[in-house]
């Protein structure tokens, strides 16, 4: 496997080589994977179209790289450890051999129902091992998986199923999460009343709640696997995939109303998740890696499943939450399984800070070596607490910046090998060429500057398209600044050339590390009877990072504000999911608009943030008086 860049000099050298001769650089790294056929060309790209092809002509199956190739040497090593939501329930361990077997069996169950290469399969499950098995089984047979986070509503599920024209769903009866028991199958039943493409639904029973099964469509997971002959299933070769065949779709929110299906392909994504996993965390064989994300998000795809498994690591999958039944659950899990790498989000860290230091102080956690953070900018207080209280001052912190679209980490320090700086993601990985631009797209040179973060050339893990709408991919990422990939983030570059990501500069919010499009929430709020118009902005929130502030024009009785807010949030939950509920709702008689009718979000943001002194020029507004009214009614 690629050797680790274990100091700043070796990182700098690799970085130069990767930019000077990307084909030689990535060709050498890719040589170390299992291919059915090697590539004809390492890289072919054009950001205008956009078109990016890595390892074109190569053939592979990613699951052979994540499972089969480890069998001779590591077959009896733990591949996946699963820890329940309930501390009393025993954990489960799958060795590489057992995980391989389970994946082959479920892959055969899928084949038995006619699911084949290129079919789209939506997965809507809680964090049980069968979720990992389902994802890998799809990859094994070349079906394109689209995992939908278990917190999304029936409406969101049906939108995603319809957009992908999925032929099958894999779900659970329900999911345990903290004190909650979430009825997933009921949501699927409701969602499928609006979907005609789905022919089969597999149901894994986790909570044993009562469910209804539609005859001819629904199959219990247990029945499906009981019907498979193990030896026969293992003997079936993995589907041969072209390097640029889609591996999965993952829907994510953007600045327009409808979530986009980000598409990642087989070879580049595999190389990128493997490379970034091993380098960022400085992974050593035998280490146990605990990524606390949900597999419904990209972090779970790349750093619970594909990255660690392709490296032959032991990946720990946790069903629960950081604070259930008490706020030392993470620390218990770390001690119980002697975790080496802990990878979590600032929002989780902040909620644990809020619970008090006594919980973490009881746990020495001597096994911990590397602490990772991802999903949103980490504030200095959270960084230092993570370092001192969790890492006891002896663990490296890696601040990894990346996105659903990037497949894996782009900017990070390398644990212990390159310098860290609190709140800074620091330096780009080899192959990643970031730059800052101003609003007009002019590059901002030098250090101690800030601007909009773009990337100049493709790395192996970049998205290839948005499902069913390539033009949208072009417009969203490659047209704002022609010739560049635009991240949607703002960043600053310090005197050492280290990057600090300051947050989104588009109409996307980051609430508890979840990406939420303002237009999506506004569309949902506007469905509430009597709502004429709404505008959503983010405001600083102690735990969530950003909270959702909604300004709503409502024609109706406003005497009972509480029940109005409750009613609006119920519609949001039903349309998107509880993660998108507004934290504050203010009823207004008008919104600040320019004479051309554009909502001045900058002003609304400042009011929500409480920065009333810096509202800027409001005289160009259609109705400047509305601003005073909004300020007076601030929540
Ligand atoms: O704003 C950045 C923020 O999360 C966004 C991407 O969200 P998503 O696609 O859901 O993926 C999250 C997991 C990779 C980015 O545009 N973000 C992610 N990591 C960081 C971050 N902001 C600051 N620092 C980070 N380390």
């Amino acid at each position: 496997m690629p050797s680790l860049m274990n100091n700043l000099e070796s990182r700098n050298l690799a970085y130069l080589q990767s930019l000077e001769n990307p084909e030689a650089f990535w060709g050498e790294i890719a040589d170390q994977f299992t291919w059915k056929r090697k590539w004809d060309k390492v890289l072919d790209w054009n950001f205008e179209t956009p078109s990016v092809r890595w390892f074109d002509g190569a053939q592979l199956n990613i699951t052979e790289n994540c499972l089969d190739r480890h069998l001779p040497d590591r077959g009896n090593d733990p591949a996946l450890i699963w820890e329940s939501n309930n501390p009393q329930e025993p954990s489960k361990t799958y060795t590489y051999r057992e995980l391989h077997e389970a994946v082959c069996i479920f892959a055969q169950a899928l084949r038995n129902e006619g699911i084949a290469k290129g079919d789209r399969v939506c997965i809507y499950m809680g964090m049980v091992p069968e979720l990992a098995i389902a994802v890998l089984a799809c990859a094994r047979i070349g079906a394109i998986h689209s995992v939908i986070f278990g917190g999304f509503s029936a409406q969101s599920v049906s939108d995603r199923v319809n957009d992908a024209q999925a032929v099958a769903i894999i779900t659970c009866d329900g999911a345990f999460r903290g004190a909650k028991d979430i009825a997933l199958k009921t949501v699927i039943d409701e969602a499928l009343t609006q979907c005609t493409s789905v022919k089969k639904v597999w149901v894994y029973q986790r909570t044993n709640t009562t469910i209804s099964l539609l005859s001819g469509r629904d199959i219990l997971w247990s029945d499906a696997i009981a019907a498979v002959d193990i030896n026969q299933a293992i003997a079936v070769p993995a589907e041969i995939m072209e390097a640029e065949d889609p591996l999965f779709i993952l829907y994510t929110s953007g600045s327009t109303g409808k979530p986009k299906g980000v598409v990642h392909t087989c070879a580049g994504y595999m190389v990128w998740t493997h490379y970034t996993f091993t380098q960022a965390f400085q992974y050593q064989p035998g280490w146990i890696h605990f990524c606390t994300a949900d597999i419904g998000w990209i972090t779970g795809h790349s750093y619970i499943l594909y990255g660690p498994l392709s490296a032959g690591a032991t990946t720990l999958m946790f069903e629960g939450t950081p604070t259930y039944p008490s706020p030392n659950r993470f620390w218990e899990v770390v001690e119980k399984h002697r975790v080496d790498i802990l990878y979590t989000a600032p929002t989780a860290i902040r909620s644990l800070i809020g619970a008090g230091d006594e919980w973490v102080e009881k746990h020495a956690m001597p096994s911990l070596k590397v602490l990772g953070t991802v999903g949103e900018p980490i504030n200095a207080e959270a960084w230092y607490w993570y370092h001192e209280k969790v890492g006891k001052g002896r663990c490296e912190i890696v601040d990894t910046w990346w996105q659903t679209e990037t497949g894996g980490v782009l900017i990070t320090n390398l644990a212990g090998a390159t310098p860290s700086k609190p709140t800074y993601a620091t330096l780009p990985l080899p192959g990643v060429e970031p730059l800052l631009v101003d609003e007009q797209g002019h590059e901002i040179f030098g250090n101690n500057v800030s601007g909009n973060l773009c990337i100049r050339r493709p790395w192996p893990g970049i998205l290839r398209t948005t499902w069913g709408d390539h033009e949208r991919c072009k417009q969203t990422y490659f047209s704002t600044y022609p010739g560049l990939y635009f991240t949607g983030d703002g960043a600053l570059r310090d005197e050492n050339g280290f990057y600090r990501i300051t947050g989104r500069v588009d109409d996307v919010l980051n609430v508890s590390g979840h990406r939420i499009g303002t237009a999506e929430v506004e569309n949902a709020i506007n469905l509430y009877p009597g709502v004429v118009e709404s505008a959503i902005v983010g405001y600083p929130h102690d735990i969530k990072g950003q909270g959702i502030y909604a300004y709503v024009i409502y024609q109706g009785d406003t005497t009972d504000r509480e029940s109005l807010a409750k009613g609006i949030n119920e519609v949001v939950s039903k349309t998107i999911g509880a993660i998108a509920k507004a934290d504050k709702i203010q009823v207004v008689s008008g919104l600040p608009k320019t004479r051309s009718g554009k909502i001045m979000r900058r002003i609304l943001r400042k009011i929500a943030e409480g920065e009333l002194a810096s509202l800027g020029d409001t005289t160009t507004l259609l109705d400047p008086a509305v601003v005073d009214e909004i300020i007076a009614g601030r929540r």
Side-chain angles (χ1 to χ4, degrees):
M1 279 297 112
S3 54
L4 292 181
M5 301 176 281
N6 47 20
N7 54 41
L8 188 58
E9 290 68 42
S10 62
R11 177 264 168 207
N12 290 346
L13 181 65
Y15 189 72
L16 278 183
Q17 289 169 342
S18 76
L19 298 193
E20 272 166 15
N21 194 344
E23 301 219 14
F25 186 85
W26 293 109
E28 198 183 317
I29 288 168
D31 255 334
Q32 300 163 53
F33 292 80
T34 299
W35 303 92
K36 300 225 189 247
R37 182 184 187 278
K38 284 276 175 84
W39 50 90
D40 300 318
K41 190 158 181 7
V42 172
L43 172 63
D44 207 358
W45 68 287
N46 171 0
F47 271 179
E48 302 298 319
T49 3
S51 158
V52 176
R53 301 185 74 81
W54 280 96
F55 311 110
D56 219 0
Q59 293 178 329
L60 74 156
N61 187 290
I62 194 169
T63 69
E64 291 194 332
N65 285 275
C66 289
L67 301 170
D68 305 57
R69 71 168 164 157
H70 304 313
L71 296 181
D73 298 334
R74 295 198 193 94
N76 297 323
D77 289 353
L80 187 143
I81 299 173
W82 174 80
E83 177 67 30
S84 167
N85 182 55
N86 172 3
Q88 310 308 326
E89 185 178 354
S91 41
K92 289 185 190 168
T93 300
Y94 290 73
T95 63
Y96 270 96
R97 199 173 311 286
E98 288 163 341
L99 187 60
H100 173 258
E101 199 173 285
V103 169
C104 289
I105 291 172
F106 195 65
Q108 191 56 40
L110 292 171
R111 283 192 203 99
N112 287 347
E113 295 295 340
I115 309 297
K117 178 174 173 177
D119 285 343
R120 275 80 59 210
V121 176
C122 287
I123 303 180
Y124 185 69
M125 300 173 84
M127 285 285 284
V128 286
E130 287 69 19
L131 165 55
I133 293 164
V135 166
L136 295 168
C138 286
R140 187 95 180 158
I141 67 167
I144 302 167
H145 57 78
S146 166
V147 185
I148 303 173
F149 174 62
F152 280 119
S153 68
Q155 183 63 51
S156 295
V157 171
S158 61
D159 288 348
R160 286 158 174 75
V161 169
N162 286 333
D163 188 78
Q165 286 293 291
V167 298
I169 309 262
I170 309 169
T171 189
C172 292
D173 51 355
F176 294 124
R177 226 176 128 62
K180 292 194 208 120
D181 172 346
I182 305 154
L184 298 177
K185 176 61 164 59
T186 319
V187 177
I188 290 295
D189 289 340
E190 190 188 333
L192 292 192
T193 59
Q194 296 179 56
C195 307
T196 52
S197 57
V198 173
K199 305 289 177 258
K200 285 286 157 204
V201 177
W202 280 266
V203 187
Y204 176 74
Q205 289 164 290
R206 166 66 181 139
T207 56
N208 291 317
T209 44
T210 315
I211 47 167
S212 55
L213 294 179
L214 188 69
S215 139
R217 187 194 71 181
D218 299 356
I219 318 164
L220 288 180
W221 176 289
S222 51
D223 291 345
I225 62 168
V228 172
D229 178 292
I230 299 182
N231 294 323
Q232 198 197 335
I234 291 176
V236 181
E239 188 71 29
I240 297 177
M241 304 297 284
E242 302 297 325
E244 286 296 340
D245 278 339
L247 172 65
F248 66 87
I249 307 172
L250 188 57
Y251 284 84
T252 189
S253 294
S255 39
T256 53
K258 199 168 143 262
K260 299 175 287 279
V262 167
V263 175
H264 286 288
T265 55
C266 295
Y269 176 81
M270 170 181 78
V271 170
W272 192 244
T273 52
H274 178 101
Y275 184 74
T276 54
F277 169 73
T278 51
Q279 299 292 350
F281 299 109
Q282 297 279 294
Y283 168 75
Q284 298 295 322
W287 275 12
I288 297 180
H289 172 71
F290 176 17
C291 167
T292 70
D294 191 290
I295 293 177
W297 310 112
I298 191 69
T299 308
H301 284 59
S302 301
Y303 300 110
I304 295 179
L305 296 180
Y306 291 112
L309 293 177
S310 69
T314 302
T315 188
L316 196 155
M317 189 175 167
F318 176 44
E319 187 184 37
T321 71
T323 51
Y324 177 84
S326 46
N328 64 342
R329 191 68 180 113
F330 274 2
W331 324 133
E332 273 178 5
V333 175
V334 167
E335 285 194 334
K336 177 174 172 188
H337 298 289
R338 296 190 191 84
V339 166
D340 297 272
I341 309 170
L342 173 67
Y343 191 29
T344 195
T347 187
I349 298 170
R350 287 191 300 264
S351 76
L352 293 166
I353 295 175
D357 292 355
E358 62 275 20
W359 293 103
V360 65
E361 280 168 353
K362 279 186 273 188
H363 298 267
M365 299 182 280
S367 60
L368 273 183
K369 295 169 187 72
V370 178
L371 303 174
T373 155
V374 60
E376 49 178 320
I378 184 164
N379 49 311
E381 186 199 356
W383 196 100
Y384 283 106
W385 190 88
Y386 202 24
H387 190 253
E388 300 310 317
K389 300 291 173 186
V390 181
K392 316 293 178 194
R394 55 173 179 78
C395 298
E396 300 295 339
I397 292 193
V398 286
D399 181 349
T400 64
W401 171 80
W402 58 295
Q403 313 177 294
T404 303
E405 295 84 348
T406 70
V409 177
L410 296 197
I411 304 184
T412 183
N413 55 309
L414 310 175
T418 65
S420 66
K421 177 172 176 181
T423 77
Y424 281 73
T426 74
L427 295 172
L429 282 164
V432 178
E433 201 184 346
L435 67 154
L436 299 176
V437 299
D438 64 19
E439 292 294 329
Q440 286 72 43
H442 300 124
E443 180 166 1
I444 302 168
F445 294 97
N447 288 341
N448 284 318
V449 290
S450 59
N452 291 348
L453 181 64
C454 294
I455 317 281
R456 209 189 300 273
R457 60 168 90 200
W459 58 97
I462 190 174
L463 87 161
R464 301 302 198 264
T465 188
T466 46
W467 183 259
D469 193 350
H470 192 64
E471 183 59 24
R472 191 157 178 220
C473 171
K474 179 177 169 178
Q475 289 304 329
T476 311
Y477 307 105
F478 299 93
S479 297
T480 316
Y481 304 115
L484 302 174
Y485 167 82
F486 177 42
T487 64
D489 278 321
L492 59 85
R493 191 167 51 220
D494 77 358
E495 61 282 3
N496 299 311
F498 288 3
Y499 286 87
R500 175 187 188 175
I501 315 305
T502 45
R504 303 289 303 197
V505 293
D506 54 6
D507 291 329
V508 172
L509 306 184
N510 195 327
V511 179
S512 300
H514 300 152
R515 239 166 101 165
I516 295 178
T518 50
E520 251 181 287
V521 183
E522 287 162 5
N523 292 345
I525 290 180
N526 297 348
L527 294 174
Y528 188 77
V531 170
V532 178
E533 196 177 4
S534 60
I536 299 296
V537 295
Y539 71 96
H541 187 287
D542 284 350
I543 292 182
K544 297 179 174 185
Q546 271 189 313
I548 299 183
Y549 195 118
Y551 298 91
V552 177
I553 304 179
Y554 176 68
Q555 279 178 345
D557 185 1
T558 55
T559 38
D560 187 354
R561 297 276 163 111
E562 289 305 311
S563 67
L564 175 62
K566 199 163 158 262
I568 289 176
N569 271 334
E570 272 166 17
V571 175
V572 173
S573 288
K574 226 176 143 32
T575 314
I576 305 172
I579 53 171
K581 284 205 280 200
D583 298 278
K584 295 185 182 181
I585 297 179
Q586 180 181 349
V587 177
V588 295
S589 68
L591 292 166
K593 289 188 178 169
T594 60
R595 294 208 168 88
S596 59
K598 202 169 160 280
I599 298 176
M600 296 283 283
R601 289 173 183 281
R602 183 180 50 79
I603 293 178
L604 293 175
R605 226 174 277 133
K606 294 272 183 206
I607 297 175
E609 286 166 0
E611 290 194 24
L612 305 178
S614 55
L615 287 186
D617 183 15
T618 56
T619 52
T620 55
L621 292 176
L622 197 58
D623 176 12
V626 83
V627 174
D628 297 329
E629 181 217 299
I630 296 176
I631 293 173
R634 238 184 110 234
R635 310 278 294 165

